[in-house]
């Protein structure tokens, strides 16, 4: 039986508790597709409910920690060293359309460093979790990134910038280069789960630009603890600042960075 840290227990407990209302609300979504107003307002309130539960649970366990949340923004705590980075629903568009690929994402940043991450996909009961130095897990199973060495055998996940977002043209250039070099590219619709999939070896890599800290913070810890590499487009660690991210295993991460560079040369 594996022994888990108190910190991860807090994060996983909060995710499971918040997931209850999320799963209930997801059950309503199909009915709402056909209503005239559509499910948008309903989804906003589902999002807020999840965020509220997460905030309550995390605060109860660690009263002084601050927050950076998708809906609530930055909430400073008395303890300036520790901050939760939370996305109540990552994959909101999927949720809205009744597509069962979305999750709750919670990370802990300590002294500016990401040290723990939980990504919970409630419909499949997939709890991805990792803590710095202690490895990454899916439920009880230890995770390793894939061992593929060749780009041409690799499957990558990515995010496509949508209406109202910048970066359409640069993305098309990146896609143009990537699709000529890899076995397949997937757009699953949740950056946190994309990173969890890289950690689990389901995907060999992932890249995206224009991404927010709460979408990727927990997933970054998962990939690193599963033995993978995650950087910004320059190969540095300014992921949360630049919103650019490239993840992959030891063999593929540098080639992926080079491909992205070549797309913008
Ligand atoms: C989105 C998802 C998506 C990514 C977008 C994000 P949200 O997050 O992670 O996969 O491509 O850039 O905004 O809005 O569902 O929390």
């Amino acid at each position: 039986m594996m022994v888990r840290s108190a910190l991860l227990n807090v994060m996983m407990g909060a995710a499971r508790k918040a997931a209850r209302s999320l799963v209930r609300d997801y059950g309503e979504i199909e009915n709402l597709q056909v209503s005239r107003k559509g499910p948008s307002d309903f989804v906003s309130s589902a999002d807020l409910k999840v965020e509220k539960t997460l905030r309550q649970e995390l605060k109860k366990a660690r009263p002084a920690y601050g927050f950076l949340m998708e809906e609530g923004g930055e909430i400073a705590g008395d303890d300036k060293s520790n901050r939760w980075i939370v996305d109540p629903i990552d994959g909101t568009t999927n949720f809205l359309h009744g597509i069962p690929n979305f999750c709750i994402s919670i990370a802990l940043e300590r002294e500016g460093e990401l040290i723990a991450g939980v990504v919970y996909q409630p419909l499949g009961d997939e709890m991805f979790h990792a803590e710095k130095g202690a490895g990454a897990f899916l439920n009880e199973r230890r995770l390793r990134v894939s061992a593929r060495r060749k780009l041409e055998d690799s499957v990558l996940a990515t995010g496509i910038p949508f209406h109202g977002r910048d970066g359409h043209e640069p993305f098309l250039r990146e896609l143009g280069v990537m699709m000529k070099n890899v076995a397949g590219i997937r757009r699953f619709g949740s950056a946190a789960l994309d990173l969890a999939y890289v950690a689990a070896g389901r995907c060999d890599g992932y890249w995206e630009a224009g991404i927010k800290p709460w979408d990727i913070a927990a997933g970054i810890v998962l990939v690193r603890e599963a033995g993978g590499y995650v950087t910004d487009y320059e190969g540095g660690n300014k992921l949360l600042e630049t919103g650019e991210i490239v993840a992959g295993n030891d063999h593929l991460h540098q080639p992926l960075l080079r491909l992205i560079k070549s797309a913008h040369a």
Side-chain angles (χ1 to χ4, degrees), residues 45-163:
S45 86
D47 216 21
L48 289 171
K49 248 187 278 175
V50 174
E51 189 165 293
K52 189 169 168 212
T53 307
L54 292 174
R55 188 162 170 219
Q56 274 166 355
E57 292 301 303
L58 295 169
K59 202 167 170 57
K60 200 160 67 186
R62 299 286 187 275
Y65 287 15
F67 287 89
L68 175 65
M69 310 187 94
E70 182 176 24
E71 306 302 330
E74 178 91 54
I75 303 161
D78 294 335
D79 175 345
K80 305 291 176 222
S81 311
N82 287 287
R83 166 168 96 146
W84 302 111
I85 303 181
V86 174
D87 193 349
I89 309 178
D90 185 56
T92 321
T93 306
N94 283 345
F95 185 85
L96 176 75
H97 285 258
I99 298 170
N101 192 62
F102 54 86
C103 65
I104 291 170
S105 174
I106 308 171
L108 181 66
E109 188 187 57
R110 177 166 292 159
E111 309 285 1
E113 188 187 4
L114 295 168
I115 62 150
V118 161
V119 171
Y120 184 45
Q121 206 290 57
L123 298 179
D125 193 24
E126 291 200 313
M127 178 69 79
F128 297 91
H129 54 98
E131 190 170 357
K132 192 168 179 240
F137 295 82
L138 165 53
N139 297 329
E140 303 288 313
R141 183 166 63 82
R142 179 102 194 222
L143 297 179
R144 286 292 304 169
V145 290
S146 84
R148 283 197 186 78
R149 289 170 171 266
K150 293 187 186 153
L151 279 172
E152 61 261 37
D153 297 334
S154 306
V155 168
L156 307 181
T158 189
I160 303 175
F162 39 83
H163 173 68

Side-chain angles (χ1 to χ4, degrees), residues 158-175:
T158 189
I160 303 175
F162 39 83
H163 173 68
R165 280 260 178 108
D166 295 337
H168 292 207
E169 291 307 318
F171 173 75
L172 286 174
R173 282 199 289 277
E174 291 163 14
L175 184 63

